[in-house]
Amino acid sequence: MTPSICVLGLGYIGLPTASFLATKGCQVIGVDISAGVVDAINRAEVPIKEPELDVLVRSAVQSGNLVARTQVGPADIFIIAVPTPIRPDKSPDLSAVEAAVAAIAPHLAPGNLVILESTCPVGTTDGLVAGILRQHDIEVGRSVHLAHCPERVLPGRILTELVQNDRIVGGVTPASTEAAAAFYRQFVSGEVLETSARLAEMAKLAENTFRDVNIALANELSIICDHAGIDVWELIRLANRHPRVAILKPGPGVGGHCIAIDPWFIVAQAPEHARLIRTARQVNDAKPDWVLAKVRDKAARFKHPTISCLGLTFKADVDDLRESPAYQIARRLQQEELGQILACEPHLDRLPELPLVGLEEAITLADIILVLVDHREFRRLQPHQLQEKIVIDTRGLLR
Ligand code: SAJ
């Protein structure tokens, strides 16, 4: 028999997960604190942009297997996919996880399985989550199973990676690990790797930290090469021809809601030991300042230059502005009144804060072209279109 499932948090992870499970025949309740999100999903509308997600949500809602609500109800399996941001002091904010666990606790019955997919500091599943459940007299790991199974999907490829990626499953007891692994094996074509909850938490943090540290190296190299008059993109291309070298790409900084945040969870728990990880975060966070200094330097040649920012989202081919260094740079240029700031962002229809223009207009009107995101739409730009323009290309797109 297919289990009934309650998914808490209908964002970039929860909505695809809930919809996918519903199309596999599970009865799914999707829960979100936003009534607007709940209403939109029940009308089969998708509040976020992700390839193929609209089709999946429509099919899940129309089948009657996915119903969105603002309140939790009974189910066999509870999947928590709520945000775990950082506070201004870089400490983890787990209030959404706490609220989700407190909301499901009164509905839990023997034999239920609780899965935490949100990225968390080490010890959250065993400590915070199990602790709240025990306060409700729940025998965690025996009567009710509890496991951490970190999400690993890449925005832009969510539906493919949801099924194909290997998954790490760590229960608070071996029986919990087994119960959660058996659940994922029903719909994941990748391997399901069993471990403890603490190791699963650390594995997720290590994955995103690996990427952050590697990008920090690329960003640092880009600054060093700029001073040395060396083309960093050609440098990386050549260095990566070594069989054991794989340097990632420099850019205007690191954005999104994962890589720019998760390494801080490690730093917060091991402030004296996480020296490289903290430094990498600082290197990536400082890159927008370096780009701004470059633009200021070029803008000083003009009285009132028109500066066209190509791309505002946190990475290529998505519509997501969260933690976006590109957006941050464009806004700061505007606040500094360096000139007329135009933005070309093919993935957004409107943006109250910045004047949005089409690509042709952005190029024609610009004195300075600032490439901030390597969107597919920009890759067709030809060198002759950029003649007589000053180009600052943070993504190596126009080489
Ligand atoms: N970036 C660079 N240079 C690169 C690669 C990325 O500057 O060579 C920048 C991007 O422009 C962006 C940021 O890094 O601003 C993050 O983009 P990303 O594509 O590296 O990662 P996310 O945040 O979209 O998704 C990551 C993924 N983690 C890993 O690849 C290890 C994804 O698998 C995770 O599920 C996701 O974080 C998450 O939710 O944790």
Side-chain angles (χ1 to χ4, degrees):
M1 211 182 75
T2 45
S4 61
I5 298 171
C6 180
V7 178
L8 287 94
L10 296 175
Y12 283 84
I13 306 302
L15 182 57
T17 305
S19 308
F20 173 72
L21 293 170
T23 59
K24 294 286 160 196
C26 301
Q27 286 296 322
V28 183
I29 305 171
V31 177
D32 201 281
I33 53 167
S34 160
V37 166
V38 164
D39 290 345
I41 292 167
N42 285 331
R43 288 194 303 268
E45 288 165 15
V46 183
I48 49 182
K49 222 181 190 180
E50 174 66 28
E52 312 292 328
L53 184 59
D54 51 347
V55 178
L56 189 75
V57 171
R58 210 174 307 131
S59 137
V61 172
Q62 284 168 359
S63 71
N65 285 355
L66 173 63
V67 177
R69 293 196 200 152
T70 54
Q71 300 295 324
V72 176
D76 299 317
I77 298 173
F78 294 83
I79 300 176
I80 301 171
V82 296
T84 49
I86 44 167
R87 299 198 179 91
D89 69 353
K90 312 289 187 201
S91 66
D93 176 357
L94 300 177
S95 52
V97 173
E98 281 181 58
V101 180
I104 62 177
H107 298 278
L108 289 175
N112 282 175
L113 167 64
V114 178
I115 298 169
L116 178 63
E117 284 212 5
S118 310
T119 306
C120 289
V122 174
T124 304
T125 313
D126 269 341
L128 180 80
V129 178
I132 297 172
L133 296 181
R134 283 195 195 103
Q135 282 167 12
H136 288 76
D137 295 328
I138 293 161
E139 283 185 298
V140 184
R142 286 202 296 270
S143 151
V144 168
H145 289 303
L146 170 63
H148 182 52
C149 178
E151 61 84 9
R152 285 174 139 181
V153 290
L154 189 75
R157 285 177 47 83
I158 291 180
L159 297 193
T160 312
E161 296 206 354
L162 195 61
V163 178
Q164 291 181 1
N165 285 2
D166 292 347
R167 296 299 292 261
I168 298 177
V169 175
V172 295
T173 57
S176 287
T177 306
E178 214 175 289
F183 168 65
Y184 283 100
R185 284 197 182 106
Q186 290 176 60
F187 66 91
V188 165
S189 67
E191 228 180 295
V192 177
L193 308 159
E194 299 183 19
T195 183
S196 66
R198 289 172 65 83
L199 216 138
E201 287 160 346
M202 191 62 180
K204 167 68 193 195
L205 298 181
E207 289 161 19
N208 279 356
T209 299
F210 165 80
R211 205 157 164 83
D212 198 42
V213 171
N214 193 325
I215 299 168
L217 171 66
N219 276 333
E220 190 160 289
L221 283 172
S222 76
I223 294 171
I224 293 167
C225 285
D226 189 71
H227 283 289
I230 291 171
D231 177 346
V232 70
W233 304 96
E234 183 62 2
L235 167 85
I236 292 174
R237 189 183 75 81
L238 294 175
N240 282 354
R241 295 295 292 268
H242 184 288
R244 286 173 295 283
V245 174
I247 304 169
L248 287 169
K249 293 188 223 138
V254 168
H257 30 105
C258 309
I259 298 204
I261 290 167
D262 301 349
W264 288 118
F265 291 3
I266 299 182
V267 176
Q269 288 189 313
E272 282 169 24
H273 303 299
R275 291 181 300 162
L276 173 66
I277 297 170
R278 182 193 292 105
T279 303
R281 274 284 68 245
Q282 288 165 343
V283 167
N284 286 334
D285 274 354
K287 193 70 193 290
D289 287 330
W290 186 83
V291 174
L292 279 162
K294 277 244 147 230
V295 181
R296 273 185 220 113
D297 182 51
K298 303 288 184 201
R301 302 180 194 175
F302 299 86
K303 227 176 166 183
H304 190 75
T306 296
I307 304 172
S308 288
C309 299
L310 301 195
L312 295 174
T313 58
F314 88 88
K315 67 174 186 175
D317 308 326
V318 299
D319 70 337
D320 195 343
L321 287 176
R322 284 180 295 174
E323 314 290 327
S324 167
Y327 176 75
Q328 187 194 329
I329 289 166
R331 286 287 284 159
R332 281 177 60 189
L333 287 173
Q334 195 184 38
Q335 281 150 9
E336 287 182 24
E337 297 179 5
L338 278 189
Q340 164 75 13
I341 311 302
L342 302 177
C344 173
E345 179 40 77
H347 294 269
L348 297 176
D349 298 330
R350 44 170 242 103
L351 194 67
E353 313 84 272
L354 282 158
L356 285 184
V357 295
L359 184 57
E360 300 297 321
E361 203 178 344
I363 302 294
T364 312
L365 296 177
D367 298 304
I368 299 173
I369 295 170
L370 176 59
V371 182
L372 294 170
V373 186
D374 44 344
H375 285 312
R376 194 173 296 125
E377 291 81 353
F378 303 153
R379 290 183 203 142
R380 61 184 161 83
L381 281 171
Q382 298 296 321
H384 73 265
Q385 292 176 274
L386 308 170
Q387 271 167 10
E388 293 166 31
K389 309 281 179 188
I390 292 179
V391 177
I392 303 171
D393 181 3
T394 69
R395 297 279 186 178
L397 186 81
L398 306 176
R399 295 179 59 245

